[in-house]
Structure formats: structure tokens, C-alpha cells
Amino acid sequence: MTDTGQRLGQLLMRSGIITERQLADALEVHKATGERLGRIIVDLGHATQGEILSVMATQIGIEYFDFSIVQPDPNAVAAVPRELAERYTLMPVSLSDGVLVVAMADPQNVLALDDLRIITGHEIRAGISTRDDIAGSIEAFYKVAEHTESDDFIGSDDLSETELESLSGVAADAPIVKLVNYIITKAVSERASDIHIEPQDSDLRVRFRVDGVLHEVMRSPRSVQAAIISRFKIMAEMDIAETRKPQDGHCAITVSGHTIDFRVSSLPTVYGERIVLRILRKDAILLELSDLGFLPSSLERFESSFRKPYGAILVTGPTGSGKSTSLYAAINVLNSPDKHILTAEDPVEYRVPGVNQCQINVKSGLTFARALRSFLRCSPDIILVGEIRDQETARIGIESALTGHLVLSTLHTNDSAGAVTRLVEMGVEPFLVASAVDCILAQRLARRLCPSCKEEYEPKPQTLIDAGFPADNLPERIFKAVGCKKCGGTGYRGRMGVHEVLLVSEEIGRLTVAGATSEEIKKAAIADGMLTLKEDGLEKVRMGDTSVEEILRVIV
């Protein structure tokens, strides 16, 4: 056996990656086959290739890059042609002060280092990574979104020809287009719901919202801020000359063969314009109610309500709690050729075949209330109101539910019982609320534990009691978040709903008319069999779908 092999085995053992017994087993195989010790240890499953490389990198004084953790700098990626990266199996990592850092499968390849130095004009510092990691990163980070001709269209009567050429010329520069395409493609591949482009004091920050939580993914030099923001505004057909007023736009981009809609908003801040792109995934409206994480008992209660021919169904919760998704899932169940469905939305984010959708436009006088009044003259069976914002909308919606229409809408309250008192506070008579409202669904979105890395453990009883579990029915074992490459190290992948379904019974109706508080209404609902948000969430902890920490994060 070579000295190198002996040193590697000892290093792995001292680092705690393998045990003395595992090293002895590998040495036995090495003596019999002559195969390299590192390869044997990997084949036996005692260590990964990455763990071996990290130890070797430390020994020879270079850096090891794990691309499940490291995010390559787009400026570095743009500096190295893809063909060169593939030819020498290397991945650019960072570019700063004229030094380009790259991860290589063979950091001692002098020819590759010389070619990189000549082509990029930068000094090169080489690190090491596995061939598989580098190949996967090249595929992920060099992939760019395909744009249609319309993405480059800009229509603005307020710009002079010279100003237009200056602003759009910089934004259309190849490196900027490539960087913007990279940001969009990466966001889609990471299942982000929002992209936040945020000017800071000294640079430009890019964050993605994944599973409801914001993560910083990169920072770019302040020198490219104007060009990047202008590029996003051009794509959304916004006025790139107007930087002092908020603007809204929309664009459709083809990413990996799929057309995805983006809603784009700009907001002036002290450091420049802030851009937010909302990624509208059409598959979200195709969800069935069973996909939303309902417990069987809660789903049965909800379905019993919206299958009635008339009445009002309200979905409550804060912004971003999945209210619209739940309404669309219900509409998908109800949508059939014999039903006339009308919706008033602001904005209409998803187009649903067979449903007549109306876009609210306050500037032209088309408000929710006016749209509702017009709907009633069109003989609808089902009416969906995007949001009840004022007394007039609330009153017309409630009266519509009393006159033979099924009305679905959303309301911003903390829980289901709060929706009853909120309607009364908005000026709707209590007896109308008690007669018209049939069901109130309160919900939150909680992250699902990653099925690939979640870990079962035995919690302390007091911890479970403090979380809200009943002392006489504590789970023996639950799961916690760990983190792996598949979930980006967060321990969570995807989200599910946590629900509270309040059915307005005769008792709750009497309490509403009598002017009861939301707490009194909630107690009556619990007595009728309602699971609270906290109870529903803890039941999903018991089932292994999420963690105690996540439920306590989203539910007070």
C-alpha cells in the first residue's frame, strides 16, 4: 500500500469520518484487489467522495466546495464560458479584486489554469470539488431562460429616442441579460414564489421566498443595479424612465420549456427602485382539496358547506396564507358545464377554463361592490369575490348569499370566529351574518418536513405540553428538521395548510345576533367539534408531516 493511501486512511479516521474497524475492512479489500483506498471506502459506503475530498483539500491547503451549500457568484459564472467549464470540469465560484476562484475536479491541471488565466484575464485560485457536484452545478448555473420576442418589447410615449436607446441599451447588454435570466431560472428551479431585487447601501441584494421564508441567494455590485432593474422593467413592459412612482407590470417567460407568468412590482426606496417578481404557477390552481393538507374531519366539514346551493363561505388568514389557492381548489370541484360561475378578482392571477373572471379596476370605477351588483343581473350560480374590503362589498355579498347564490370570498382576520365579529364591525347587521354565512375556514401555511432527511426523536414531555399537546395524550416520538441537498439545507420541502373550519350552527347564529365576542363564538364552535388552528397543526406534527418548531412559528 502507498504512503498516500496510508495517510488518507489515518486522516479520515482522525477526522471522525470513518472508524478504525471501517479502515481495517477497507485495507483488507485493498490488499485483495489493489484498488485505491479512497475508492474502496466510498464503495463500502463508509464515506462519501465529498468527505474524502474535503479532508484531502485541508491536508494540501486548498478549499473544498460543497455546492449544496456554496452559491456561485453570477459575475464569476459570466466570466467563464460554459464550454471551458465543461472541458476542464470546473465551476466558477467567486470573482473579487481581480481573483477568480474556481472549483476543479483536478486542481493540479496546469493547462486548465493557464487557459483560464488567458481567457478571463484574471488571476486564478483553484479549489476542489467532486466531478458530480461540478457537473450538476454547471447544468444548474449555466442554464438560462428562453425569452420570446415580446420580452424585449417596450412601449412608452414619454421617453425621447435618445433616452430610450441609453436606458434600454445598457439593460440589453449580453452579461446583464444573462444575469437576469440566471436569477429567474434559479428561482424557478428552487420552487421560489417571489424574487426580491433590493438595492442596498453598497450593493444589490437578491432574495427568494421559498416555502414562505426569504433566503438571500446573491449580491451584485452596485454598478450593475440600474441595468438589472431596467432589464426587469423592460421585460414587464414598465416605464423605465419613471423611477419615482410605484409601477406594476406583467410578463410571461419560457423556462425549461414551460411558460410561467410573472407579476412585477416596483417601489422607490432610499437606495433606488426595489423590484418584486411574483411567480404565478398555473399548476397551483389545478390542486384538489385533498392536496392542501386537510385532515379528513376538517375536509368533510368544509365540503359539506360549499356543496350547498347557496350561502356564504369565507376563507380567512393573513396575506400569503393560501386563501386564494383554497378558493380555487373549491371552484375546481364546483366547476361544471351546468354551473354559471363569476369571479371578481384584483388581480386575476390565474385563468380558469369555464369560469368568467372579472378584473377589478378602481381607476375606471370597477370596484368589488360595482362588479357584484352587475353579477346579480347576470343570473350566476356561484360568485367568487377576491376580498371583502369594505361595508358595501360585505353587504352585497351577504345579501347575495341570502338570495340563492353560493358566495365565496376572503377576509383578513386571525381566526375563524373573528370573521363573524369583523363583518358586524364593518356594518353588516348581525341577523344577516347569522343567516347568510354557512362556513368560515381559517388557515395558515406550514412547511412540510423534507422526507429525505427528517429525523425521528423522543422529545421531552414538558416540551410537548408547552407546545400545546394535551398532557394525557402526548406522542412518544415526533420528527424534526435536519437539512440535506434536496431541501437546500433547510430541513423542509413544500408547504401544507393548517386549517380551522367553523360551521355556523344555530347556537353560533344566536350568539352572533346577541352580539357575542369572538372568544364566546370560538368556544361554541369547539363544542360543536371544531379543531382550532393549533390543534390541527399539532395533529400534523403527530403524523410526522411537520415539526413543533414550524407550527409554533406560524401559529401564535
Side-chain angles (χ1 to χ4, degrees), residues 69-353:
I69 301 171
V70 174
Q71 295 290 337
D73 180 354
N75 295 324
V77 176
V80 180
R82 177 171 183 160
E83 295 75 17
L84 195 67
E86 290 177 335
R87 185 191 313 158
Y88 292 122
T89 316
L90 60 87
M91 183 65 205
V93 177
S94 65
L95 177 59
S96 178
D97 298 327
V99 178
L100 177 66
V101 179
V102 295
M104 304 177 67
D106 180 9
Q108 296 180 325
N109 188 334
V110 179
L111 180 61
L113 295 173
D114 286 344
D115 278 0
L116 269 178
R117 193 174 292 110
I118 293 168
I119 291 173
T120 65
H122 299 296
E123 285 299 312
I124 309 299
R125 194 172 86 233
I128 194 169
S129 188
T130 68
R131 288 185 179 275
D132 289 345
D133 253 15
I134 291 172
S137 298
I138 290 173
E139 179 62 27
F141 291 98
Y142 276 95
K143 186 189 293 183
V144 297
E146 303 168 13
H147 291 265
T148 60
E149 291 288 332
S150 60
D151 288 337
D152 293 321
F153 172 79
I154 181 170
S156 175
D157 298 328
D158 300 328
L159 291 176
S160 69
E161 187 175 343
T162 304
E163 291 172 324
L164 179 59
E165 288 179 359
S166 174
L167 286 167
S168 60
V170 175
D173 191 41
I176 296 299
V177 172
K178 188 173 183 179
L179 177 56
V180 168
N181 291 346
Y182 160 77
I183 292 171
I184 291 173
T185 306
K186 182 170 174 59
V188 172
S189 67
E190 292 191 2
R191 305 173 295 106
S193 59
D194 306 297
I195 304 172
H196 294 252
I197 312 296
E198 303 168 322
Q200 304 294 302
D201 184 20
S202 57
D203 56 13
L204 184 72
R205 180 173 67 173
V206 179
R207 294 193 292 173
F208 296 162
R209 188 181 296 279
V210 181
D211 295 334
V213 179
L214 280 169
H215 301 279
E216 183 175 318
V217 294
M218 62 170 278
R219 287 182 180 258
S220 285
R222 190 170 174 81
S223 58
V224 300
Q225 172 182 317
I228 290 175
I229 290 173
S230 294
R231 176 62 187 170
F232 279 115
K233 292 174 72 175
I234 287 172
M235 290 165 56
E237 299 183 16
M238 295 158 68
D239 185 351
I240 60 175
E242 179 56 73
T243 60
R244 295 169 297 176
K245 295 179 182 178
Q247 295 186 64
D248 293 304
H250 180 273
C251 61
I253 302 172
T254 303
V255 182
S256 302
H258 299 282
T259 300
I260 298 176
D261 290 332
F262 293 81
R263 196 173 80 204
V264 186
S265 301
S266 70
L267 179 70
T269 70
V270 291
Y271 295 123
E273 283 187 286
R274 181 182 189 273
I275 300 285
V276 177
L277 288 85
R278 178 86 182 273
I279 302 175
L280 307 177
R281 301 177 185 273
K282 294 181 180 179
D283 55 353
I285 65 165
L286 302 177
L287 289 174
E288 297 183 2
L289 285 166
S290 57
D291 299 325
L292 302 183
F294 277 96
L295 292 175
S297 59
S298 297
L299 181 57
E300 184 180 349
R301 288 165 65 88
F302 185 47
E303 279 195 324
S304 70
S305 180
F306 73 72
R307 289 189 181 277
K308 293 180 180 178
Y310 56 87
I313 298 173
L314 302 177
V315 182
T316 74
T319 301
S321 60
K323 298 187 297 295
S324 296
T325 301
S326 294
L327 286 180
Y328 277 121
I331 287 292
N332 284 335
V333 175
L334 298 170
N335 190 10
S336 63
D338 62 331
K339 292 286 195 304
H340 181 198
I341 303 176
L342 287 170
T343 77
E345 304 171 62
D346 184 23
V348 177
E349 295 184 349
Y350 305 104
R351 274 66 171 176
V352 184

Side-chain angles (χ1 to χ4, degrees), residues 310 376 398-405:
Y310 56 87
L376 296 178
I398 292 297
E399 290 175 353
S400 301
L402 285 171
T403 55
H405 304 91

Side-chain angles (χ1 to χ4, degrees), residues 304-539:
S304 70
S305 180
F306 73 72
R307 289 189 181 277
K308 293 180 180 178
Y310 56 87
I313 298 173
L314 302 177
V315 182
T316 74
T319 301
S321 60
K323 298 187 297 295
S324 296
T325 301
S326 294
L327 286 180
Y328 277 121
I331 287 292
N332 284 335
V333 175
L334 298 170
N335 190 10
S336 63
D338 62 331
K339 292 286 195 304
H340 181 198
I341 303 176
L342 287 170
T343 77
E345 304 171 62
D346 184 23
V348 177
E349 295 184 349
Y350 305 104
R351 274 66 171 176
V352 184
V355 176
N356 301 286
Q357 296 171 274
C358 176
Q359 169 72 57
I360 295 303
N361 189 336
V362 177
K363 289 183 180 178
S364 67
L366 182 58
T367 62
F368 279 112
R370 180 167 291 186
L372 268 177
R373 282 196 296 269
S374 299
F375 285 0
L376 296 178
R377 294 191 290 270
C378 298
S379 185
D381 297 303
I382 300 168
I383 297 172
L384 187 151
V385 185
E387 183 182 344
I388 294 177
R389 297 178 179 172
D390 52 60
Q391 179 185 8
E392 189 177 10
T393 306
R395 187 183 298 276
I396 298 171
I398 292 297
E399 290 175 353
S400 301
L402 285 171
T403 55
H405 304 91
L406 182 62
V407 179
L408 298 91
S409 189
T410 68
L411 198 63
H412 288 282
T413 61
N414 289 328
D415 59 10
S416 55
V420 175
T421 53
R422 175 72 179 130
L423 286 173
V424 174
E425 289 167 0
M426 291 175 74
V428 182
E429 287 81 357
F431 73 90
L432 290 178
V433 176
S435 303
V437 178
D438 190 71
C439 173
I440 303 168
L441 168 67
Q443 69 177 55
R444 300 290 188 275
L445 288 178
R447 292 179 293 174
R448 288 183 186 272
L449 285 168
C450 174
S452 299
C453 66
K454 67 179 182 180
E455 186 177 287
E456 192 176 20
Y457 74 106
E458 186 176 339
K460 295 179 180 178
Q462 190 58 47
T463 302
L464 296 175
I465 293 170
D466 291 343
F469 281 100
D472 59 346
N473 188 22
L474 298 178
E476 293 183 3
R477 302 182 71 81
I478 57 176
F479 289 84
K480 63 180 178 181
V482 177
C484 65
K485 190 170 183 178
K486 289 185 179 179
C487 61
T490 63
Y492 299 93
R493 185 173 176 83
R495 289 192 289 178
M496 64 181 179
V498 178
H499 307 97
E500 179 178 282
V501 184
L502 184 153
L503 298 180
V504 179
S505 62
E506 289 186 12
E507 174 63 21
I508 291 175
R510 282 196 295 270
L511 289 171
T512 303
V513 173
T517 65
S518 60
E519 280 301 316
E520 291 171 328
I521 293 172
K522 185 174 182 177
K523 287 179 182 177
I526 292 172
D528 287 341
M530 181 187 80
L531 286 178
T532 65
L533 284 167
K534 175 69 75 69
E535 289 171 339
D536 188 274
L538 292 178
E539 185 60 30

